Amino acid sequence: MKLNIGVVGVGAIGQDHIRRFVQVLQNCQVVAMSDISKENLDKVNKSLNLNAKIYSDGHELIRSKEVNAVVITSWDPTHEEYALAAINEGKYVFCEKPLAVTAEGCKKIIDAEMKQGKRLLQVGFMRPFDTGYRALKQVITEGQIGRPLLLHAAHRNVTNTYTDESIAITNTLIHELDVHRWLLDDDYVSAQVVFPNKSSLAPGELKDPQLVIFKTAKGTIINVEVFANCQYGYDIQCEVVGEKGIAKLPDPSQIVMRKEAKFYIDILVDWKDRFIAAYDVELQAFIDNVISGRFTQGASAWDAYAAAVAADTCIKAQKSGAIEPIAMPKMPDFYKK
Ligand code: ISE
């Protein structure tokens, strides 16, 4: 069976996923695309030698008979309405993160999916498919460093265009919120956000960087530096301090250079390159989930909801400066793997 995919939104990550569906992944074809820019759509069709049907309206694409799986890669605030529409049509959905920009939005999608009586949706949290994160999880799960006590993480982007620090939570920190929950098999119970001096290189009034501190149900303390305009590279760091040792996420492998009295390795600058292999595995997992009729791999709407509940609290904590409790609801059996 070949999955007929319709892609809603062909910006940077949309185009990257379409390239994967066309050139890398098995058992799929891109039959439709929608975007506000007809120029972008024509460009994608041409550059990939594709003949996907073009829609100016994402909802029309979702309703079209030839599409059986919808891939949502549009602007973050539009994810919720497209995911809801696709689920209500009974279509399979891969939705890029964030599933919705609020927990309330994610909950509506959960209710719609449960009403359909079966899992239809996977969320684009790709890090659990990254070999480095997988190795780190294995070390923790095998007890090699003992009980995790602390987790130090950094999420640094070269630059970003947003000027509101709440978007640094819903668009950027959201990956950390998902991956640490998965890595530690734990949930958050509180969050606090502290701001150092604002970088003068951050756009507008954006308070950047910020440090977000969580406590988990098992008692681990997590601190995440979110630096959306760090200038020097795309840098993802994660170090878990356990009772018996420390385990650190490996940096991407790069050639080690000795040149002109320097000893160095390059740092990637584009997040799509940093996780290129993880995206491939993640999207193939989605195709396989749909074809097998069982969503055994990848993030569910519930995972996205859990991350969004924590994200909502972080935004509250940005304003209050206080340690804010996180009330995480219990996962329904529907989402147990
Ligand atoms: C982007 O959408 C991503 O998903 C990247 O992983 C993240 O680092 C970046 O901040 C987001 O804008």
Side-chain angles (χ1 to χ4, degrees), residues 30 50 57 199 257 275 299 318:
V30 176
L50 246 182
D57 177 9
S199 161
M257 298 286 287
F275 288 108
Q318 284 179 326

Side-chain angles (χ1 to χ4, degrees), residues 8-228:
V8 179
V10 298
I13 193 67
Q15 292 185 29
D16 206 35
H17 288 347
I18 293 171
R19 175 194 56 74
R20 300 200 146 80
F21 292 131
V22 174
Q23 298 179 343
V24 185
L25 307 180
Q26 307 292 312
N27 303 327
C28 62
Q29 58 192 354
V30 176
V31 296
M33 302 184 289
S34 72
D35 198 273
I36 40 169
S37 158
K38 166 124 182 15
E39 201 189 328
N40 269 355
L41 293 166
D42 289 337
K43 212 175 78 192
V44 176
N45 255 342
K46 200 161 166 226
S47 66
L48 291 167
N49 208 7
L50 246 182
N51 193 18
K53 191 161 170 197
I54 282 178
Y55 290 87
S56 57
D57 177 9
H59 289 283
E60 232 181 278
L61 175 147
I62 289 167
R63 284 192 300 268
S64 75
K65 292 264 178 302
E66 77 265 20
V67 170
N68 41 47
V70 179
V71 170
I72 302 169
T73 45
S74 51
W75 188 47
D76 289 4
T78 63
H79 291 181
E80 177 184 333
E81 72 170 83
Y82 288 131
L84 265 180
I87 287 180
N88 289 336
E89 282 290 316
K91 303 239 163 133
Y92 293 103
V93 189
F94 178 89
C95 182
E96 260 307 331
K97 44 61 58 176
L99 177 58
V101 292
T102 60
E104 194 190 352
C106 292
K107 183 66 173 51
K108 286 186 194 153
I109 294 165
I110 287 175
D111 292 344
E113 192 179 30
M114 289 179 70
K115 203 166 150 205
Q116 292 286 348
K118 65 171 185 169
R119 288 273 313 271
L120 292 170
L121 180 138
Q122 183 178 325
V123 181
F125 286 123
M126 73 298 186
R127 291 191 186 180
F129 293 96
D130 173 68
T131 49
Y133 271 110
R134 284 190 173 196
L136 184 56
K137 182 167 172 73
Q138 189 175 346
V139 163
I140 297 167
T141 311
E142 287 173 357
Q144 291 194 41
I145 57 167
R147 189 160 62 109
L149 306 172
L150 292 165
L151 187 155
H152 307 295
H155 188 140
R156 304 190 185 117
N157 291 103
V158 180
T159 52
N160 260 297
T161 50
Y162 52 73
T163 53
D164 174 343
E165 43 280 350
S166 72
I167 300 179
I169 303 291
T170 58
N171 176 270
T172 301
L173 179 80
I174 201 81
H175 282 294
E176 311 294 326
L177 290 170
D178 177 67
V179 82
H180 298 152
R181 202 178 147 258
W182 167 83
L183 200 58
L184 301 175
D185 190 21
D186 208 345
D187 258 317
Y188 307 104
V189 294
S190 69
Q192 183 187 15
V193 181
V194 292
F195 293 100
N197 283 333
K198 166 188 165 17
S199 161
S200 62
L201 303 174
E205 297 303 306
L206 180 72
K207 289 191 214 152
D208 188 35
Q210 49 188 305
L211 189 70
V212 191
I213 305 154
F214 299 97
K215 187 161 189 182
T216 72
K218 292 181 187 167
T220 304
I221 298 287
I222 298 176
N223 64 67
V224 187
E225 171 201 318
V226 183
F227 196 175

